[in-house]
Amino acid sequence: MKKIALLAILFVSYLIPCTSTAQEVTYVEDPSQGYLFNRMKDNWFIQADGGVGLMMSSYDKHEHFGHRLGAKADFFVGKWFSPLLGLRAGLDYEQIKGATWTGNYAALGYRNWPRQLDGGKYVPQHFNNFGFVGDVLFNVSNWLAGYKPNRFYNCIFYVGMAVNWVYARDGERPVSDGSWKYGANDDPDHSRNYSMQTGLLNSFAITKKLDFNVDLRFDLMQEHIDGAGMGYRTWNEYPGVLLGLTYKLGKSEWNAPVTAVCPEWKYTDAEGDELTANLNNANRKIADLENQLRKCLEKKPEEAPADAPLATIYFPINRTEVLGVQRNVVDAVAEVMKNENRNYLLTGWADNYTGNDQINVRLRKGRVATVKNELVKKGIADSRLETQINNGELTNYGPKAASLDRAVTIQRK
């Protein structure tokens, strides 16, 4: 059935002509297959932003709202590895402003503050954090709505960590001095803070290379205000809003794999009738081929004539050695002879179209002697093998078939 099916396919493809005018195949990007990775040097960006944050530690509610707003700023270098995922890392600055209890003089950031809060129970405090920050970026817009290179707005979720070093005014100096030093609370050994951050980066395209950003950020900050110098730290919320710009370096778009779009073929009624007629004609020819194939399969093979040679060993021109695949034939003949209790006649042949009589007689004798020796080496008794030469033509098909006459035939006796 597989042969019949293959014949059917071949005949249909051969017998049905293409009557429509050929149309050009087009190639387009197919986003359904995903997007290709760009080169490492592409999809980089630099980003700078600044804004304000609101410290929300234990005693900050006693400070006026406006005095709790501190400056925030970042500078990033980043890269998008796909339309969805990216990384950025950079420098971080945070201004921490709030309040602490009056007895915690070491946590003021600097002493001699001119104001007191809630009847002297609390006093203001002020610190500056400088450090490093890194984020993992996830483009929510591309995830939900698919990647679009010309999208105006992208919502990007991120999560990351930062490490900051604290600077405060020197507690031993007056306010007017303005001197700042490393280490809040006069405690340099505990002035490295860690923080976790997450947020939504709202990106608006200004040009192909430049975006305007509105960053809604939430930090969970490890701080030692409101208890620093007392042997423990606290975790404080620090939400903020930042505005900034992103400049894209190198190639910023992503490409999908290219696929071929075949044209839609349309036929007229006349063309359809012609195709139907060709198909019917092909089906008739296929049925005829099936019938012929069935007869061939049912036909019994003809028996070989009784005097047909057991095997024929062929030789190259002017050679008497058994070479190449002919050695396999000699091996097979030896196996048959071992299983038969018969004698055999080996006849040496040469073509009469090349060489002279003297050379051809030598070739005939040499070839038949070689085959006999090979069979004796395989274990066939010498007495079972009779040799002769024949000076005639083995096939008599003419000079172009002379290779068929350079042989040794083996017949049963």
Side-chain angles (χ1 to χ4, degrees):
M1 291 302 295
K2 291 183 178 179
K3 294 181 179 180
I4 295 173
L6 179 60
L7 286 172
I9 294 172
L10 292 174
F11 264 80
V12 168
S13 62
Y14 174 75
L15 295 174
I16 299 179
C18 180
T19 56
S20 298
T21 303
Q23 300 181 37
E24 184 179 356
V25 176
T26 57
Y27 296 88
V28 298
E29 292 186 359
D30 185 4
S32 64
Q33 300 186 35
Y35 286 89
L36 304 174
F37 287 105
N38 288 341
R39 297 172 298 179
M40 189 61 187
K41 69 178 184 178
D42 295 325
N43 302 100
W44 288 86
F45 62 86
I46 55 175
Q47 189 176 89
D49 52 39
V52 295
L54 179 67
M55 195 63 190
M56 300 177 67
S57 60
S58 303
Y59 304 113
D60 290 334
K61 63 183 178 180
H62 299 286
E63 175 61 288
H64 300 298
F65 179 82
H67 291 160
R68 293 166 58 190
L69 296 176
K72 294 171 66 71
D74 295 295
F75 178 81
F76 292 104
V77 175
K79 174 176 172 59
W80 286 98
F81 294 92
S82 76
L84 296 181
L85 293 175
L87 296 174
R88 67 178 183 179
L91 304 176
D92 183 38
Y93 165 71
E94 294 170 332
Q95 187 182 59
I96 311 301
K97 297 170 69 175
T100 189
W101 60 292
T102 304
N104 188 18
Y105 295 108
L108 295 177
Y110 56 87
R111 299 176 186 171
N112 305 320
W113 194 284
R115 293 187 297 114
Q116 292 187 343
L117 308 173
D118 287 355
K121 295 180 180 179
Y122 304 97
V123 291
Q125 60 181 358
H126 180 186
F127 298 92
N128 289 325
N129 281 354
F130 298 90
F132 301 97
V133 62
D135 295 318
V136 178
L137 309 175
F138 183 79
N139 192 310
V140 179
S141 298
N142 288 341
W143 179 50
L144 295 178
Y147 168 70
K148 294 181 180 179
N150 298 321
R151 178 177 282 124
F152 172 70
Y153 169 73
N154 280 282
C155 178
I156 300 169
F157 171 77
Y158 64 87
V159 61
M161 296 187 66
V163 56
N164 289 282
W165 286 263
V166 181
Y167 286 80
R169 292 187 186 275
D170 189 344
E172 302 300 328
R173 298 174 181 270
V175 176
S176 59
D177 188 309
S179 175
W180 290 77
K181 71 173 184 177
Y182 171 64
N185 312 314
D186 300 325
D187 185 10
D189 294 334
H190 297 85
S191 293
R192 183 174 66 247
N193 297 324
Y194 298 95
S195 64
M196 296 176 289
Q197 63 186 34
T198 185
L200 289 177
L201 182 64
N202 301 274
S203 179
F204 302 88
I206 300 175
T207 68
K208 186 176 180 179
K209 290 288 187 179
L210 188 64
D211 292 346
F212 172 72
N213 305 316
V214 178
D215 189 354
L216 306 179
R217 183 178 303 177
F218 179 83
D219 294 83
L220 187 61
M221 181 178 298
Q222 184 190 39
E223 264 296 355
H224 50 296
I225 55 179
D226 301 333
M230 314 290 286
Y232 64 89
R233 301 187 183 189
T234 58
W235 288 91
N236 304 300
E237 297 83 3
Y238 189 37
V241 178
L242 297 92
L243 306 179
L245 296 172
T246 298
Y247 184 76
K248 303 171 187 176
L249 304 172
K251 180 180 178 181
S252 58
E253 297 86 4
W254 301 90
N255 297 110
V258 175
T259 58
V261 177
C262 297
E264 181 181 355
W265 294 95
K266 297 182 180 179
Y267 297 95
T268 63
D269 291 341
E271 291 170 338
D273 293 340
E274 184 179 355
L275 288 174
T276 301
N278 289 333
L279 182 59
N280 292 334
N281 184 44
N283 288 333
R284 286 191 295 270
K285 293 188 177 183
I286 291 171
D288 182 59
L289 286 173
E290 291 176 348
N291 185 45
Q292 295 180 41
L293 180 60
R294 185 168 55 255
K295 290 180 179 180
C296 289
L297 295 175
E298 294 173 353
K299 185 177 180 180
K300 295 181 179 181
E302 297 180 358
E303 295 184 358
D307 58 346
L310 171 61
T312 302
I313 315 299
Y314 292 97
F315 295 81
I317 188 171
N318 201 33
R319 301 293 291 272
T320 61
E321 304 91 349
V322 177
L323 301 174
V325 72
Q326 301 303 314
R327 287 188 171 275
N328 298 335
V329 178
V330 173
D331 293 343
V333 170
E335 292 300 318
V336 174
M337 289 181 174
K338 290 177 183 178
N339 296 319
E340 294 183 350
N341 187 21
R342 303 184 64 168
N343 296 332
Y344 301 90
L345 175 62
L346 283 62
T347 305
W349 302 83
D351 74 271
N352 291 322
Y353 304 103
T354 57
N356 54 39
D357 292 341
Q358 182 180 359
I359 293 174
N360 288 336
V361 168
R362 177 179 60 80
L363 290 172
R364 293 181 183 105
K365 291 180 179 181
R367 288 167 180 170
V368 75
T370 298
V371 174
K372 180 178 179 179
N373 291 337
E374 292 290 335
L375 292 173
V376 170
K377 290 179 183 178
K378 301 294 181 181
I380 308 303
D382 181 273
S383 60
R384 296 175 60 191
L385 304 174
E386 179 183 346
T387 62
Q388 67 176 17
I389 65 172
N390 192 316
N391 295 330
E393 301 288 349
L394 175 58
T395 61
N396 197 25
Y397 289 141
K400 293 184 178 181
S403 297
L404 299 177
D405 294 332
R406 303 167 191 142
V408 170
T409 57
I410 303 174
Q411 291 177 302
R412 295 181 178 91
K413 296 189 65 177

